[in-house]
Amino acid sequence: MNILGIETSCDETAAAVVRDGREVLSNVVYTQIPLHQPYGGVVPEIASRAHVEKISQVVGEAISQFKQLNNQTIDAVAVTYGPGLSPALIVGLNAAKGLAKALDVPLIGINHIEAHLHSPFLFDPADRKGFQISDFRFQIGDGDFQIGDGDFRIEDCTPALGLAISGGNTMWVDMPEYGKYEVIGETLDDAAGEAFDKAAKLLGLGYPGGLKMDRIASAWMAEARSEVRGQRSDDLIPFPKGRPRDGVTALAGLPAELCVSFSGLKTALLRYAQQHPDLAGSTESARDFGGYEVTPHVAQVVASYQEAIVQAVADRTRTALKRKRYKAFILGGGVSLNSRIRAVLTEVAKDAGVPLLMAKPKYTGDNGAMIAGLAYYRRNHVEDAMTLDVNPCLEVGK
C-alpha cells in the first residue's frame, strides 16, 4: 500500500510516499529556516505563507519521484492535523483534502508527535540490499538490533517507552501496544529544542541554535577530556537540571520524577551572562570550536548548558525505564539528532537492558515520511477524515 504523507505543522513543507508503512519511496522537504532567521524564531504568518507558496511544488516533486521508481498508484493520502501552528496546519490539511478527493482515495489524519515515534521504523529502498526486510536491523548507538526471528512486525517492539524530543515537544510516552499511547511525563514549559534556540540567541549564536550548540559543545568536551590542555569534565558550569517539585499544579497529575522544566535553566543562563559580561564582549580570544568561532568561555557555557538538558532528559528516561518492563525504547524528534543526547541515551538504554531504536538522521526532523508511515498502521481511522479540522493542541493518544 502506497501512502502519500503531507506535513506542514511548523516551518517545513514536506511530502513523501511510503510503502507499507516503512519503505520510503520519495521524500521532499522544503525548510523555511532562512525566512525565520532574521526574527530569531518561527513566525506563524510567514510560515503559513511559505507553505501556500511551496505546497504544490513539494507534493508534486514527491509524487514525481515516486512515479520514476514505481509504475504504481497512490492508495491513500495522510496529513498532519495537529499539534502545531494553526495557520501552517490549515495549509497542509486543505491540500491533502483536495488531493484525496481528486485521486478518489481515503484521507488519514495523523498526530504529529505520534508520527515522530514511528520515524525509527522508516528505511530506504537501498537498505534492502543483502537481506530480507524481516532481517531489518535498528541502530543502537554504534551497533544494531534485530527483533526476533522470521517476519518482522512492529508490534514485536511493544510494550515500548517512547521519547518525542523536538523544538516543540519533550514528552515521555508509554506504548503498551503499537498505536496506543499514554503520556507519562513531559516538559512543563519549554521543549528541549526551544531551550536550545533561546540559549543560542542569548549567546549571540543565531537561529536555529541546536546544531551549533551541539558542535561547539562536542568540540569543547573533547578538549576537556584532553590531557594536553589539562581540562576536566568537572569544569562544566553547574546549571540546574530542572526537576519540578511534587504537588506543582502544572504537573496535571503526572509524576514529578518524569517531568522536566527548562524555564529555570534559561533563567540561570541569563543571570550567568549578566554576571559575566565578557561573554558578549571581546572576541579576540575566539577560535574554532566545531566549525564556529567563539571564545573558550562561550564554548564552556554552551557545553554546560547542553549537558544540563541532556542529563535532565537522561534522568527522566532512566526513571521511566525502571517503572515497567519494556521491549524497546523509541527515540524520535528533531532534537534526537543531537550527538550528546544520542550517546547518553544509548548508555541509559544499555544499562536498562532495553534496545534503543533511533531514526536515521534525515528522518529525525519534520518530514512527510513519518506521516505516511504511521498512516499505514492507522488506515482504519478514515471515516471522518474529510471533515477534520486542525487541532493545534492535539494530545497524544486522543
Side-chain angles (χ1 to χ4, degrees), residues 7-8 11-15 28-32 47 50-51 54-55 58:
E7 155 63 26
T8 62
D11 61 334
E12 271 85 30
T13 310
V28 180
V29 179
Y30 167 74
T31 181
Q32 302 175 10
H51 286 313
K54 293 293 183 179
I55 188 73
V58 169

Side-chain angles (χ1 to χ4, degrees), residues 25 33 46 58 98 107 115 134 188 215 260 333 376 390:
L25 302 179
I33 287 177
I46 294 176
V58 169
L107 176 68
S134 59
L188 304 186
R215 290 180 176 174
V260 65
Y376 177 78
V390 299

Side-chain angles (χ1 to χ4, degrees), residues 165-373:
I165 182 167
S166 64
N169 302 280
T170 300
M171 184 179 296
W172 288 263
V173 180
D174 180 58
M175 300 169 61
E177 58 185 79
Y178 199 78
K180 292 190 177 181
Y181 311 87
E182 179 186 358
V183 177
I184 59 175
E186 63 182 336
T187 178
L188 304 186
D189 38 62
D190 287 350
E194 189 176 3
F196 276 123
D197 287 338
K198 289 181 177 178
K201 183 176 180 179
L202 177 63
L203 295 172
L205 300 177
Y207 171 86
L211 178 60
K212 295 176 184 178
M213 295 188 73
D214 184 12
R215 290 180 176 174
I216 292 171
S218 296
W220 188 89
M221 291 289 282
E223 286 195 3
R225 300 187 186 99
S226 172
E227 294 181 0
V228 176
R229 294 187 177 275
Q231 293 175 311
R232 306 181 308 280
S233 60
D234 58 6
D235 290 328
L236 288 169
I237 300 162
F239 287 125
K241 295 181 182 178
R243 175 172 173 172
R245 298 188 304 273
D246 289 318
V248 174
T249 304
L251 289 170
L254 294 175
E257 66 268 20
L258 293 182
C259 291
V260 65
S261 169
F262 292 122
S263 60
L265 172 61
K266 291 188 305 175
T267 300
L269 176 63
L270 175 61
R271 289 177 177 171
Y272 185 90
Q274 292 171 340
Q275 295 166 0
H276 298 80
D278 62 297
L279 280 178
S282 174
T283 59
E284 292 182 2
S285 61
R287 54 187 176 83
D288 184 274
F289 282 92
Y292 300 96
E293 293 289 321
V294 297
T295 66
H297 191 186
V298 169
Q300 179 193 25
V301 171
V302 167
S304 302
Y305 185 90
Q306 174 175 277
E307 194 67 12
I309 293 176
V310 171
Q311 293 304 326
V313 171
D315 287 347
R316 279 49 164 197
T317 302
R318 195 176 290 111
T319 300
L321 288 171
K322 292 178 180 178
R323 289 165 57 98
K324 186 174 179 179
R325 192 183 185 103
Y326 289 112
K327 289 184 179 179
F329 171 37
I330 300 173
L331 179 63
V335 179
S336 71
L337 186 58
N338 180 281
S339 63
R340 183 63 176 159
I341 283 179
R342 290 172 88 91
V344 171
L345 291 184
T346 295
E347 291 303 313
V348 169
K350 182 178 179 182
D351 291 343
V354 177
L356 171 60
L357 312 186
M358 297 187 289
K360 284 188 170 186
K362 65 180 176 180
Y363 299 130
T364 55
D366 293 350
N367 62 85
M370 67 183 191
I371 305 302

Side-chain angles (χ1 to χ4, degrees), residues 3-7 76-80 92 96 106-110 368 371-376:
I3 299 179
L4 170 69
I6 298 174
E7 155 63 26
V77 176
V79 63
T80 304
L107 176 68
I108 307 170
I110 293 297
I371 305 302
L374 179 59
Y376 177 78

Side-chain angles (χ1 to χ4, degrees), residues 100-119:
K101 191 172 184 62
L103 296 176
D104 193 24
V105 298
L107 176 68
I108 307 170
I110 293 297
N111 183 302
H112 176 83
I113 301 174
E114 294 173 8
H116 271 307
L117 296 178
H118 183 79
S119 58

